[in-house]
Amino acid sequence: MSNNLVNLTGDSLTIEAVAQVAIYGKKVAITPAADKKVAESRAFVYQLANSNVLVYGFNTGVGANKDTKVETEHYNQFNINMVRSHCVAVGPEASLAEVRAMMVIRLNTLLLGYTGMSPGIAYMYRDLLNNDITPVVPERGSIGEADIACLSHIALTMIGEGDAYYHGKKMAAREALAKAGLEPLTLGPKDGLALVSSNALAAGQGVLVLYELKKLMNLADIIYSFSLEAFKGNVSPLNEEINRVRRFRGQNESAANVRKHLKDSYLWLPGIANALQDPLCFRCACHIHGAVRDSLHYIEELMEIQMNSSDDNPCVLMNQNAIMSCGNFEVVNWAVAFEMLGIALSHLSRAACFRTIKLSSGHFTGLPRFLTPDPEHVIAFGTIQKPFTALDAEIRHLANPISMDFYAVAGDIEDHCSNTPYVVQKTRKIVDNLYYILGIEAIHAAQACDLRQEEQFRLGAAGRVVHKKLREVIPFLAQDRNLTVDIVKAYELLKSGVLLDEVIS
């Protein structure tokens, strides 16, 4: 990956590279070796078809129509019909970044040479990305056994139908192609199947969720360290040796982060903590964050494989002189990994909510109830407990598994699925809710820090940054005010990446 270009080989795409293309608009290039694989695969498929070998989706129908033979003169119309008939998804629209992620992932998997489609399809993916043409893709309708109901809308743009965004402006797809000097594709045999059949929707959205979650987890460690200072908590659970003997990777990563964030904090002075042992939401925070990190490490490994391997059916195997039917579109392995991630995030959310409630409790902090600066005249943070616990209730519901709920469809031949797109989408919602929850926790921690008058009080490296940046947009609560405004500002601050940039630098 150069400064302005991501080179696609088929087997080296990373989550970071997808984000650079999808979010930040980097262009893509197909390497010569990958281009050669695509051409050889296409020639091989034609060779078999010309030998009167039945090839699924090439000279036969698909799904329950697999026994229908397609004659040569009907190839183009058959494949156009396949694209149109599979456009059955419903809104809302996937974001522009998500659609770009879908396209770069699908393009990369095509370059492995196991698909057998026209090379022009690969070039069209590249040209759409590089000319900032983004098809309109409704995000609901796929059940996860290849995202055919949704990805067909990308194919629709390629043949000049439907709608697309050109440099962010929505218009007819044919007009968008014309503005970029591109001609709609003429589809040949197997092209329709190659366009509609992959797991690129779930993979594209999933990769961007993971990219966002990595940032969120670093923020979670930062906000926890800030809350611990506001709470006058005990730092003994952060001891490097204590965590080392436990050995779990994620736990040790979070504990190391928090120790770094608390550099120069007053908490390291002897006799500071309010109690010998803190509530578990404080004492076990790094263990809970570690559970999310361990889940994240696991699913990142699976997604790296997904982005750099073929999920095509049938699979073109030139080394065996065959095209074989398969089930490589089955992604239940990383669907359930996302389910696991949602459950782990629910634990993180609940711990953050309990910490926020504890910060408002004078019994634990020694500060005024609800962090009021004037108990007789200012209500302060009593009512704010309702929205963050409501958001946590949403997360608890979203963490419920859905991957095992399905019907037998397509003439009863498709009797298994994983609902992977929805599994990913609900994880995306969990992550967004957590930005609010952690933002509200930071508001409480800042107020508690401002109320502390102890002579020894001193924030650590990260706490100083968080307090400064938060106070730039949210003043100390001296009088009751509209706290919705404060909540939104905290959410926006956390999502902006400013805190991460400042703390890391």
Side-chain angles (χ1 to χ4, degrees):
M1 184 170 65
S2 69
N3 288 336
N4 297 307
L5 192 68
V6 174
N7 288 301
L8 300 177
T9 64
D11 58 6
S12 59
L13 189 61
T14 64
I15 291 173
E16 176 65 30
V18 172
Q20 289 299 319
V21 173
I23 300 171
Y24 304 109
K26 280 197 175 182
K27 295 187 177 184
V28 300
I30 299 170
T31 61
D35 196 11
K36 182 181 178 184
K37 284 182 187 176
V38 171
E40 289 175 346
S41 174
R42 184 60 166 178
F44 173 74
V45 172
Y46 264 116
Q47 175 187 330
L48 284 188
N50 291 336
S51 303
N52 294 319
V53 174
L54 289 179
V55 179
Y56 177 78
F58 190 106
N59 49 18
T60 75
V62 297
N65 296 322
K66 62 186 182 299
D67 298 324
T68 304
K69 194 172 189 309
V70 179
E71 301 298 336
T72 304
E73 62 270 21
H74 297 143
Y75 280 162
N76 178 250
Q77 191 59 53
F78 171 77
N79 282 273
I80 289 175
N81 289 348
M82 187 186 302
V83 169
R84 290 172 177 166
S85 66
H86 284 73
C87 288
V88 294
V90 298
E93 294 178 13
S95 71
L96 299 186
E98 287 172 331
V99 178
R100 287 179 61 83
M102 297 171 204
M103 290 196 291
V104 70
I105 289 172
R106 181 52 176 157
L107 170 56
N108 192 64
T109 60
L110 291 174
L111 300 182
L112 290 164
Y114 297 119
T115 307
M117 84 299 174
S118 300
I121 290 178
Y123 305 150
M124 179 61 87
Y125 274 113
R126 176 199 63 196
D127 293 343
L128 292 181
L129 288 166
N130 291 348
N131 288 281
D132 199 11
I133 298 174
T134 309
V136 171
V137 179
E139 72 174 9
R140 292 187 298 169
S142 170
I143 59 175
E145 301 299 292
D147 300 322
I148 57 177
C150 303
L151 297 179
S152 50
H153 291 267
I154 297 177
L156 206 61
T157 290
M158 292 184 173
I159 63 174
E161 299 182 12
D163 292 327
Y165 290 91
Y166 180 67
H167 292 280
K169 183 180 179 182
K170 193 174 186 178
M171 60 187 68
R174 185 170 289 271
E175 181 183 358
L177 293 176
K179 284 181 177 292
L182 301 175
E183 292 290 333
L185 285 178
T186 298
L187 300 183
K190 202 179 184 293
D191 288 349
L193 186 61
L195 284 166
V196 306
S197 182
S198 84
N199 297 288
L201 176 124
Q205 292 187 322
V207 163
L208 294 190
V209 168
L210 298 181
Y211 180 76
E212 192 69 26
L213 182 54
K214 290 176 77 171
K215 295 190 293 183
L216 180 80
M217 287 310 302
N218 289 330
L219 272 172
D221 288 341
I222 291 169
I223 301 304
Y224 162 63
S225 70
F226 187 41
S227 288
L228 192 65
E229 293 180 290
F231 191 71
K232 283 185 67 176
N234 200 309
V235 292
S236 64
L238 303 174
N239 180 279
E240 185 172 2
E241 183 69 8
I242 283 176
N243 286 278
R244 188 191 66 78
V245 300
R246 188 60 172 151
R247 295 177 53 194
F248 287 118
R249 175 183 173 185
Q251 171 187 330
N252 276 271
E253 287 175 348
S254 278
N257 284 343
V258 175
R259 288 195 300 271
K260 179 180 65 176
H261 298 328
L262 290 175
K263 181 183 178 183
D264 299 327
S265 172
Y266 80 120
L267 292 184
W268 299 107
L269 298 173
I272 287 295
N274 280 326
L276 182 64
Q277 286 198 147
D278 295 327
L280 297 183
C281 60
F282 281 96
R283 199 188 334 157
C284 298
C286 291
H287 306 68
I288 296 167
H289 292 193
V292 179
R293 289 183 177 278
D294 288 337
S295 300
L296 188 54
H297 293 319
Y298 173 63
I299 196 169
E300 282 179 329
E301 181 179 347
L302 295 180
M303 290 307 296
E304 293 277 356
I305 294 172
Q306 172 65 37
M307 294 188 298
N308 294 288
S309 63
S310 173
D311 54 5
D312 281 282
N313 174 45
C315 185
V316 175
L317 298 174
M318 288 185 286
N319 61 341
Q320 294 190 22
N321 198 39
I323 300 179
M324 295 187 181
S325 175
C326 68
N328 282 347
F329 49 80
E330 181 60 73
V331 291
V332 69
N333 54 349
W334 57 267
V336 298
F338 265 98
E339 302 266 46
M340 174 180 65
L341 189 58
I343 293 169
L345 287 169
S346 183
H347 283 275
L348 184 150
S349 173
R350 190 63 57 90
C353 289
F354 274 116
R355 285 197 301 272
T356 308
I357 291 170
K358 296 294 193 301
L359 284 169
S360 283
S361 172
H363 169 69
F364 286 101
T365 63
L367 297 172
R369 185 172 56 192
F370 301 138
L371 297 176
T372 176
D374 183 352
E376 293 185 7
H377 302 101
V378 181
I379 298 170
F381 292 147
T383 312
I384 202 174
Q385 294 184 356
K386 300 181 187 301
F388 69 75
T389 57
L391 290 167
D392 178 74
E394 277 188 20
I395 289 174
R396 167 67 182 85
H397 185 259
L398 290 166
N400 281 317
I402 192 65
S403 57
M404 71 290 290
D405 294 337
F406 50 82
Y407 288 88
V409 297
D412 276 351
I413 197 168
E414 295 182 21
D415 55 2
H416 185 267
C417 83
S418 58
N419 291 314
T420 314
Y422 181 62
V423 171
V424 168
Q425 289 156 17
K426 67 190 183 75
T427 310
R428 179 186 64 192
K429 176 65 173 171
I430 289 172
V431 171
D432 192 64
N433 279 16
L434 276 166
Y435 273 111
Y436 281 106
I437 289 169
L438 292 174
I440 296 171
E441 181 181 358
I443 291 172
H444 282 67
Q447 183 80 0
C449 287
D450 287 342
L451 290 173
R452 291 210 174 276
Q453 301 297 320
E454 293 97 335
E455 182 179 345
Q456 293 177 305
F457 180 79
R458 183 179 70 247
L459 287 172
R464 291 193 297 272
V465 172
V466 177
H467 186 270
K468 178 178 179 291
K469 290 298 177 182
L470 199 70
R471 284 290 173 252
E472 286 176 359
V473 293
I474 302 172
F476 174 74
L477 187 71
Q479 298 290 333
D480 287 316
R481 60 176 181 253
N482 178 355
L483 290 179
T484 292
V485 175
D486 292 0
I487 293 169
V488 172
K489 286 180 179 179
Y491 167 84
E492 291 173 346
L493 176 64
L494 266 61
K495 289 213 73 171
S496 72
V498 168
L499 292 182
L500 282 178
D501 292 342
E502 292 282 335
V503 170
I504 291 171
S505 63

